[in-house]
Amino acid sequence: CDPGIVAHMVDDAAELRWMQSTWAGVNTIFSSSCKRDYTLTRLGGCFGGQMAEYVLGYLIMLERRLLNAKSDQESKEWMPGTYKPTDPLGPRPFNTLTLGLLGCGDIGSKIAEAGKGLGMRVVVFRKTLQRTNLSVDLVTPSIELLLETSDYIVNILPSTPQTRGLLSGDVLRKCATRDASRRPPVFINVGRGDVVDEVSLVKALNAEWLSS
């Protein structure tokens, strides 16, 4: 069932014993109901490919400045210089960029695979360094290291007491300690939004710790 549709009905379902969610996350159901005496299973291992394509699309759109190109096309302007690597905001080869992933489960592993396919260096943040067969360049428990070295930061983390507000406050200031010749990183969130509060995100954008 779709959690967005049934979440408010759970407390009234006296005979409920098992619910199969069609989402990967389950926090919508838990936050909308108090009932806990049933089994809830999520839909995992199904969305990795689609989410990887979504993230990949944004990476290519931003690096190749496709929205700018569309705007130039609509206004009948021809400015080829702005789309050359020699321009300060021009496209960068993907094999010179680092993709930082916050979390690397079913979805994150597919995003990592897609990044490696583009030749990117892939860094994964994990609190515990359990053995993994991920084909990435680095797995680290240091959020600071990931922020300092990544050109694109992708959040795939679930909403848990450990992840809520992980990037809030001045944590994103670490993005500003990178080499001054490099652009601030881009933050892409395909996980839960409460990893960072809105005030902290706006502050990071205004301070140019992150690229807008």
Side-chain angles (χ1 to χ4, degrees):
C1 59
D2 187 321
I5 297 175
V6 305
H8 68 283
M9 306 177 189
V10 172
D11 286 344
D12 296 324
E15 301 300 317
L16 179 63
R17 295 292 177 267
W18 171 53
M19 180 189 297
Q20 172 62 57
S21 169
T22 56
W23 294 3
V26 297
N27 55 300
T28 297
I29 295 175
F30 286 154
S31 63
S32 301
S33 64
C34 298
K35 188 178 178 66
R36 296 291 185 270
D37 59 344
Y38 66 100
T39 299
L40 173 62
T41 48
R42 70 184 188 92
L43 193 62
C46 301
F47 303 111
Q50 294 96 317
M51 298 309 294
E53 291 170 5
Y54 177 86
V55 171
L56 218 63
Y58 263 92
L59 264 61
I60 294 172
M61 178 191 73
L62 292 169
E63 283 301 319
R64 293 294 167 182
R65 304 183 69 186
L66 298 184
L67 293 181
N68 298 77
K70 182 176 184 297
S71 177
D72 290 347
Q73 184 182 45
E74 290 173 346
S75 60
K76 298 180 174 60
E77 294 182 343
W78 174 239
M79 296 182 292
T82 60
Y83 302 101
K84 293 181 178 180
T86 51
D87 186 273
L89 296 178
R92 299 168 293 183
F94 281 103
N95 61 9
T96 67
L97 303 178
T98 296
L99 176 65
L101 303 180
L102 304 179
C104 207
D106 294 337
I107 294 173
S109 61
K110 288 295 185 181
I111 297 174
E113 184 180 319
K116 291 300 292 181
L118 288 176
M120 301 181 81
R121 179 175 181 263
V122 178
V123 177
V124 172
F125 166 73
R126 266 186 177 172
K127 280 290 189 182
T128 56
L129 300 181
Q130 68 264 42
R131 294 184 64 183
T132 176
N133 59 358
L134 293 173
S135 297
V136 300
D137 297 279
L138 178 65
V139 179
T140 176
S142 171
I143 188 73
E144 293 83 5
L145 177 62
L146 182 140
L147 297 177
E148 290 170 357
T149 58
S150 298
D151 297 288
Y152 286 89
I153 300 165
V154 182
N155 173 52
I156 319 124
L157 292 170
S159 178
T160 69
Q162 292 74 34
T163 63
R164 292 182 198 119
L166 181 69
L167 299 180
S168 294
D170 282 349
V171 175
L172 291 169
R173 185 190 293 272
K174 280 292 180 182
C175 298
T177 63
R178 45 203 282 120
D179 186 336
S181 65
R182 297 170 64 193
R183 302 175 200 167
V186 173
F187 177 63
I188 299 174
N189 185 24
V190 295
R192 297 302 164 210
D194 57 10
V195 72
V196 60
D197 63 72
E198 187 174 323
V199 171
S200 299
L201 191 56
V202 170
K203 180 179 181 179
L205 290 167
N206 288 339
E208 297 186 348
W209 301 340
L210 293 175
S211 290
S212 58

